[in-house]
C-alpha cells in the first residue's frame, strides 16, 4: 500500500528544520514486555497495524518545486522494513544499567532522512524480557499521537476517558481552548504573551552544552499516592511534578548551586487533538507548549506540592496553549534562518521539557506478552539539558530522565532524589 503525496504542514516543517547535532528532534519511546518477543511476529504486527494503516511511515520528506516550492511527504522508492527494525542483545547481566547504556548510545545519532525517519530496536536479553526502543522524528507527529501509534500494536484498546485519579496533562490544552471565549480569560492573554516573551531561564548548572544519557526510576504505584492526594486535594500529576521540583532542588544543593530562585522553568507539551480514534490523516503535530515554573526555591516539600498544584490549575485556565500553538504555526511560515532563531529564542527560556502522558488504565499485551513498563521522551532543543518522561500505565507511574551529561554527570541523583521526595511527601500524609 502506498500513500498519496502531501505537503508537509508548516507546523511539522518546524520540527524538520530544528534538528541540531547536539539536540535531535527525535521522540524516544521505550516499552518493556515480559518474555522474548519474536522478531518476525513483531514485524508482522508492525506491517499490519502501523504501515498499512499509516502510510506516512513509508514516506520521507523531500523538497520539491511543484506544484509549489516546499517540503513534501513522498513514498520512499527503496523502502525496506528490515532497514527500520534492528534486533540487538544486551550483554549479561542484561539489567537496567545495560539497557540505559544501549539507549544512551543512540540518543545523539541522527535518523536517516533519505528514508522514513524512524527506527525500532528489539532489545533482547533484558532481565528475561524484551525492550522495544522506538525512535521517531517529531515531524511525523507529536508524542501523544506517536504513543498511540506504538500502542496500536497491543492487543487491547487504549483507554481514553480521564478520571479524577489520573487526570494527567492531556486535558490542559482542550481546557485552554474551551476557555478562549471567556472575556476574563481573554483579558489575561496579553499577560500570558508577555510571560512567554519576557520569561528567562535562570543561570544554573543545567545551562551548558549537551551530551546525552537516559535513566529511569522503578515503577511508582499510584495507590501509594492515594492518601497523600486525599489529604492535600491534589492530583497524581501534581504530586509527581512536585517531586520532580524537589529532586531538582536536591540536585542543585548537592552541586553547590543556590536553588533559592523562584523556579526552574520547564516546557510541558499539551495535547490539542482530543480522544477520538487516530486516523492516518491525523498524524502531524497537534499540540502546544506551555511554561511550567517548578518551585525549586521553596524549602518545604509540602509547600512545593501546594505551589505546583496552584500553578497547574493556573495553566488549565490560561490561553497559553492556544498562543504557543499559533506561534508554532507562524514559525512554520518563516524563512528557515529566521525560524531557527525564533525557536531557539523560546527554547532557551526553559531548562528542558517535561512530558506527562496518561497511558492505558488496563494492562496491555503485545503478541501475547504482557507490557510491563512505558516511557516516552520528548526532544530538547537549543541548549536545553533535561527531558523528563512521566507516563501513567496500568496503575503505575514510570518516570525517566534524558539528560546532557555535561550538565548532569550524575543523573542517578535525580532518580534517587525523586524517590526520596515521594517518600517524604507520603510520610507527611500519614501524620495527624
Amino acid at each position: 500500500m502506498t500513500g498519496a503525496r502531501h505537503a508537509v504542514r508548516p507546523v511539522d516543517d518546524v520540527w524538520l528544520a530544528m534538528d541540531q547535532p547536539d539536540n535531535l528532534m527525535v521522540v524516544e519511546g521505550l516499552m518493556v514486555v515480559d518474555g522474548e518477543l519474536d522478531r518476525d511476529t513483531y514485524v508482522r504486527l508492525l506491517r499490519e497495524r502501523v504501515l498499512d494503516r499509516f502510510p506516512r511511515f513509508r514516506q520521507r520528506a523531500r523538497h520539491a518545486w511543484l506544484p509549489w516550492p516546499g517540503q513534501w511527504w513522498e513514498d520512499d522508492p527503496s523502502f525496506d522494513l528490515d532497514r527500520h527494525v534492528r534486533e540487538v542483545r544486551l550483554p549479561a547481566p542484561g539489567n537496567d544499567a545495560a539497557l540505559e547504556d544501549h539507549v544512551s548510545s543512540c540518543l545523539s545519532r541522527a535518523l536517516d532522512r533519505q528514508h522514513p525517519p524512524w527506527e525500532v530496536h528489539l532489545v533482547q536479553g533484558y532481565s528475561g524480557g524484551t525492550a522495544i526502543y522506538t525512535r521517531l522524528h517529531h515531524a511525523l507527529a507529536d508524542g501523544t499521537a506517536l504513543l498511540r501509534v506504538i500502542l496500536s500494536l497491543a492487543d487491547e484498546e487504549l483507554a481514553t476517558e480521564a478520571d479524577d485519579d489520573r487526570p494527567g496533562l492531556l486535558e490542559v490544552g482542550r481546557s485552554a481552548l474551551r476557555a478562549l471565549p471567556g472575556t476574563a480569560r481573554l483579558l489575561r492573554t496579553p499577560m500570558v504573551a508577555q510571560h512567554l516573551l519576557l520569561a528567562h531561564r535562570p543561570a544554573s548548572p543545567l545551562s551548558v552544552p549537551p551530551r546525552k544519557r537516559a535513566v529511569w526510576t522503578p515503577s511508582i504505584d499510584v495507590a501509594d499516592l492515594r492518601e497523600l492526594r486525599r489529604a492535600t486535594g491534589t492530583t497524581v500529576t501534581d504530586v509527581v511534578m512536585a517531586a520532580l521540583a524537589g529532586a531538582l532542588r536536591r540536585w542543585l544543593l548537592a552541586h553547590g548551586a543556590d536553588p533559592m530562585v523562584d523556579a526552574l522553568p520547564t516546557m510541558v507539551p499539551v495535547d490539542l487533538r482530543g480522544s477520538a480514534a487516530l486516523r492516518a490523516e491525523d498524524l502531524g503535530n497537534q499540540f502546544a507548549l506551555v511554561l511550567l515554573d517548578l518551585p525549586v526555591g521553596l524549602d518545604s516539600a509540602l509547600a512545593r506540592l501546594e505551589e505546583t498544584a496552584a500553578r497547574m490549575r493556573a495553566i488549565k485556565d490560561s490561553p497559553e496553549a492556544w498562543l504557543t500553538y499559533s506561534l508554532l504555526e507562524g514559525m512554520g511560515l518563516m524563512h528557515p534562518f529566521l525560524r531557527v532563531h525564533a525557536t531557539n529564542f523560546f527554547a532557551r527560556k526553559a531548562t528542558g521539557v517535561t512530558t506527562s502522558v496518561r497511558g492505558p488504565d488496563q494492562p496491555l499485551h503485545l503478541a501475547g506478552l504482557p507490557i510491563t513498563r512505558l516511557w516516552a521522551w520528548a526532544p530538547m532543543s537549543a541548549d536545553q539539558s533535561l527531558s523528563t518522561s512521566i507516563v501513567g500505565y496500568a496503575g503505575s507511574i514510570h518516570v525517566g530522565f534524558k539528560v546532557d551529561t555535561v550538565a548532569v554527570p550524575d543523573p542517578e541523583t535525580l532518580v534517587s532524589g525523586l524517590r526520596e521526595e515521594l517518600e517524604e511527601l507520603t510520610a507527611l500524609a500519614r501524620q495527624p
Side-chain angles (χ1 to χ4, degrees):
M1 178 183 294
T2 60
R5 187 167 175 262
H6 294 287
V8 176
R9 297 186 311 146
V11 72
D12 300 327
D13 198 22
V14 169
W15 301 102
L16 284 173
M18 282 175 64
D19 269 326
Q20 299 179 18
D22 48 10
N23 264 333
L24 301 170
M25 294 299 104
V26 176
V27 178
E28 319 273 348
L30 190 61
M31 174 192 299
V32 176
V33 298
D34 186 9
E36 185 156 328
L37 178 61
D38 176 69
R39 184 184 189 278
D40 291 341
T41 300
Y42 178 80
V43 167
R44 176 179 56 79
L45 286 171
L46 190 64
R47 192 183 303 277
E48 294 174 356
R49 301 190 184 184
V50 175
L51 298 183
D52 290 350
R53 183 181 172 195
F54 301 102
R56 178 68 46 80
F57 284 81
R58 297 176 179 268
Q59 296 183 320
R60 60 184 183 176
R62 306 288 285 178
H63 187 84
W65 292 97
L66 296 173
W68 61 81
Q71 295 270 18
W72 292 79
W73 291 112
E74 64 176 26
D75 289 339
D76 178 4
S78 59
F79 179 78
D80 182 358
L81 188 53
D82 287 338
R83 181 187 293 119
H84 295 270
V85 181
R86 296 176 50 196
E87 189 169 29
V88 299
R89 183 167 291 275
L90 293 181
N95 53 12
D96 273 341
L99 182 57
E100 288 171 354
D101 285 343
H102 176 75
V103 172
S104 300
S105 70
C106 302
L107 295 176
S108 296
R109 182 169 53 78
L111 295 168
D112 185 356
R113 297 270 288 271
Q114 297 299 313
H115 303 286
W118 62 271
E119 65 183 25
V120 177
H121 300 189
L122 287 183
V123 186
Q124 306 289 5
Y126 171 59
S127 300
T130 303
I132 304 160
Y133 173 42
T134 310
R135 308 183 69 226
L136 309 106
H137 200 283
H138 213 314
L140 292 169
D142 55 71
T144 300
L146 292 175
L147 181 63
R148 292 170 70 175
V149 169
I150 292 170
L151 290 179
S152 69
L153 298 168
D155 295 325
E156 288 85 6
E157 292 293 324
L158 179 66
T160 57
E161 294 298 325
D163 56 34
D164 292 338
D165 191 51
R166 301 256 319 282
L169 283 178
L170 301 186
E171 288 292 331
V172 174
R174 295 191 292 279
S175 298
L177 291 179
R178 287 194 295 265
L180 285 177
T183 302
R185 293 184 176 95
L186 281 175
L187 291 175
R188 291 186 56 203
T189 301
M191 292 184 291
V192 173
Q194 183 182 43
H195 172 67
L196 286 171
L197 291 172
L198 301 183
H200 70 281
R201 178 181 62 198
S204 76
L206 297 172
S207 309
V208 294
R211 284 199 301 261
K212 302 293 187 296
R213 182 161 183 82
V215 297
W216 45 82
T217 69
S219 300
I220 301 164
D221 193 338
V222 171
D224 292 341
L225 307 179
R226 186 173 295 120
E227 189 176 0
L228 172 64
R229 291 182 47 257
R230 288 175 177 170
T232 58
T234 55
T235 68
V236 171
T237 304
D238 295 338
V239 172
V240 180
M241 286 289 192
L244 173 61
L248 286 169
R249 176 184 173 84
R250 292 167 187 260
W251 186 87
L252 290 168
L253 287 169
H255 287 77
D258 180 10
M260 299 309 294
V261 295
D262 175 60
L264 278 180
T266 185
M267 288 184 166
V268 179
V270 174
D271 177 40
L272 301 179
R273 71 177 63 249
S275 59
L278 188 65
R279 303 168 301 173
E281 58 268 28
D282 292 331
L283 287 183
N285 288 274
Q286 298 181 39
F287 82 108
L289 290 164
V290 296
L291 275 174
L292 173 64
D293 294 327
L294 296 169
V296 299
L298 301 177
D299 59 3
S300 160
L302 187 57
R304 287 191 291 271
L305 176 56
E306 292 172 345
E307 183 61 24
T308 298
R311 292 177 182 181
M312 294 292 290
R313 288 193 296 270
I315 285 176
K316 292 178 182 179
D317 291 330
S318 167
E320 185 174 342
W322 174 79
L323 286 175
T324 57
Y325 185 74
S326 299
L327 283 170
L328 283 172
E329 287 190 312
M331 290 176 189
L333 301 173
M334 292 180 178
H335 186 278
F337 177 80
L338 295 176
R339 185 188 305 161
V340 169
H341 285 279
T343 54
N344 285 347
F345 171 76
F346 286 102
R348 291 192 174 108
K349 295 181 178 297
T351 56
V353 184
T354 302
T355 55
S356 179
V357 177
R358 184 192 174 184
D361 288 331
Q362 76 278 10
L364 301 180
H365 293 75
L366 182 61
L369 302 174
I371 298 173
T372 58
R373 290 188 285 172
L374 293 170
W375 297 270
W377 288 279
M380 299 174 279
S381 55
D383 59 351
Q384 293 174 344
S385 56
L386 175 63
S387 178
T388 305
S389 166
I390 303 171
V391 179
Y393 166 63
S396 294
I397 303 293
H398 305 102
V399 181
F401 299 101
K402 181 172 69 173
V403 307
D404 294 319
T405 56
V406 176
V408 188
D410 53 347
E412 295 80 8
T413 305
L414 293 175
V415 172
S416 59
L418 189 133
R419 294 179 64 185
E420 291 165 6
E421 191 76 7
L422 287 174
E423 289 171 0
E424 181 176 343
L425 284 169
T426 52
L428 287 172
R430 291 191 293 268
Q431 296 178 3

